[in-house]
Amino acid sequence: MELEQIKKHLRVIDDFEDDTILMYLEWSEEKVKDAITNEPSLHIEFFNINSHYQRAVILLTAHYFNNRLPLSDKPQYNLTFGFRDALSHLQANFLTYKKELETEVDAYDSFN
């Protein structure tokens, strides 16, 4: 995912916090992938083309960025409905994706 895309969502126009945003982005990508499968490296193609994955990563990165202070006078919020919605759709899409892969493998095996 691109840094500029995340910065637009966060409404960050300067470069001062790029390293921090990239760190949160990396954490978010790993967290979302791990929530879906134990073997994310085997399914990179699925994650790269899935809009629910992108939405979940952007929302989680924004959550990390906006709630990064250990103490604050502002109320702290749990993750939004949008993140949970994106994860549930991503999980459903992943199950469909895995079934399609298994069907392709079975078809290939029966052909040989």
Side-chain angles (χ1 to χ4, degrees):
M1 191 158 303
E2 298 293 325
L3 174 64
E4 291 305 314
Q5 184 180 11
I6 301 292
K7 286 173 68 172
K8 280 183 187 179
H9 181 80
L10 296 172
R11 296 185 177 153
V12 172
I13 55 174
D14 55 49
D15 297 337
F16 298 120
E17 300 193 88
D18 283 3
D19 290 340
T20 303
I21 295 169
L22 285 171
M23 178 180 64
Y24 293 147
L25 174 61
E26 184 179 320
W27 291 355
S28 299
E29 288 174 336
E30 289 177 21
K31 180 101 173 159
V32 171
K33 287 176 182 177
D34 289 343
I36 302 302
T37 178
N38 293 332
E39 299 173 331
S41 61
L42 297 179
H43 307 288
I44 292 172
E45 178 184 322
F46 168 77
F47 291 111
N48 286 342
I49 63 171
N50 194 292
S51 62
H52 297 296
Y53 168 73
Q54 294 171 359
R55 183 168 51 124
V57 168
I58 289 171
L59 291 173
L60 187 57
T61 302
H63 176 78
Y64 288 153
F65 184 79
N66 293 324
N67 296 286
R68 60 190 158 161
L69 300 177
L71 298 173
S72 174
D73 59 348
K74 296 179 186 177
Q76 296 294 304
Y77 300 101
N78 292 327
L79 289 176
T80 62
F81 169 76
F83 176 73
R84 291 185 182 149
D85 181 59
L87 265 187
S88 66
H89 281 88
L90 186 60
Q91 287 170 334
N93 288 356
F94 186 73
L95 291 174
T96 303
Y97 168 80
K98 282 199 68 161
K99 285 181 185 175
E100 289 173 358
L101 281 179
E102 290 169 2
T103 303
E104 288 176 13
V105 168
D106 290 345
Y108 179 79
D109 289 344
S110 65
F111 182 72
N112 290 326

